[in-house]
Amino acid sequence: MKIVCIGRNYADHARELNNPVPSKPVFFMKPDTALLHPHNPFFLPEFSNDVHYETELVIKISKHGKHIAEKFAYKYYEEITVGIDFTARDLQNECKDKGLPWEIAKAFDQSAPVGDFIPIDQFKGREILFGLKINGEWRQNGNSKDMIFSFDRIISYVSQFITLRKGDYIFTGTPAGVGKTMPDDEFELFIENQKLLVFRAK
Ligand code: MG
């Protein structure tokens, strides 16, 4: 399976990193080795001094598709959760300055903790609230209605370039409030009142 991640999908987050708000989706990928196994801690990598958390809604692709029209994209996902797009911000800034790809900053081992999936039906036609607590305090709160590109638009766009397969994940971008991860931070991620992911940084 593969993990596709959308960048800059919330205007408030694009602004906090001084990035322009995009006119079409920006995406990059993480390999399956980026998944954090359940019940494992997240080990802060030695190659970075500034690993940021980015809390994101994650959808799971439910069937094979290519060149998916936006109006049919809803047929390609049934489940949703929250995850963290861990980002070595210091390395990412170096890559950006040099115009280089982002993999060393984004695709490293354990950089994609993903929660338990829940059916997306229950949110039909309404906004989805999600958030992150660290050590019991709210750090990020998001609302799917603030996404620049909807789930359907993202699936349509990405599938023009890359075939989506059953079991692939799509991280759909972070709202504002990203920050530095410290050793012993305890992460709790929610969709509304459902706690879907818990882990600790080491
Ligand atoms: Mg992100």
Side-chain angles (χ1 to χ4, degrees), residues 133-137 139 184-188 200:
K133 281 183 181 175
I134 295 182
N135 304 326
E137 285 182 15
R139 295 290 183 90
D184 290 325
D185 277 350
E186 191 190 36
F187 285 72
E188 296 172 285
R200 191 176 282 276

Side-chain angles (χ1 to χ4, degrees), residues 4-144:
V4 176
C5 303
I6 306 300
R8 304 176 192 169
N9 201 22
Y10 289 79
D12 57 353
H13 171 64
R15 278 193 293 270
E16 78 179 342
L17 295 185
N18 294 316
N19 288 317
V21 174
S23 56
K24 54 190 173 186
V26 173
F27 75 90
F28 58 91
M29 289 170 57
K30 297 182 189 245
D32 58 3
T33 42
L35 293 171
L36 177 66
H37 291 285
H39 313 298
N40 278 14
F42 167 72
F43 289 99
L44 282 157
E46 289 180 359
F47 50 72
S48 173
N49 293 312
D50 195 19
V51 174
H52 275 199
Y53 49 82
E54 298 187 354
T55 306
E56 311 198 1
L57 290 171
V58 180
I59 52 177
K60 186 196 285 184
I61 297 297
S62 58
K63 64 177 185 178
H64 190 103
K66 186 175 170 71
H67 297 300
I68 300 165
E70 189 171 340
K71 66 180 173 182
F72 298 126
Y74 72 94
K75 297 180 175 184
Y76 289 79
Y77 58 100
E78 295 167 1
E79 294 178 285
I80 190 165
T81 189
V82 266
I84 299 282
D85 166 21
F86 274 120
T87 304
R89 194 72 71 204
D90 43 2
L91 298 185
Q92 189 194 29
N93 287 336
E94 280 180 39
C95 293
K96 281 184 184 171
D97 288 346
K98 294 177 184 166
L100 294 172
W102 294 359
E103 271 78 359
I104 59 169
K106 286 284 197 181
F108 56 87
D109 289 355
Q110 299 193 321
S111 62
V114 172
D116 295 328
F117 281 89
I118 56 175
I120 201 165
D121 286 5
Q122 57 191 295
F123 306 106
K124 214 162 233 160
R126 69 174 179 88
E127 60 200 32
I128 303 172
L129 300 170
F130 63 102
L132 165 68
K133 281 183 181 175
I134 295 182
N135 304 326
E137 285 182 15
W138 287 109
R139 295 290 183 90
Q140 282 193 279
N141 285 284
N143 185 330
S144 61

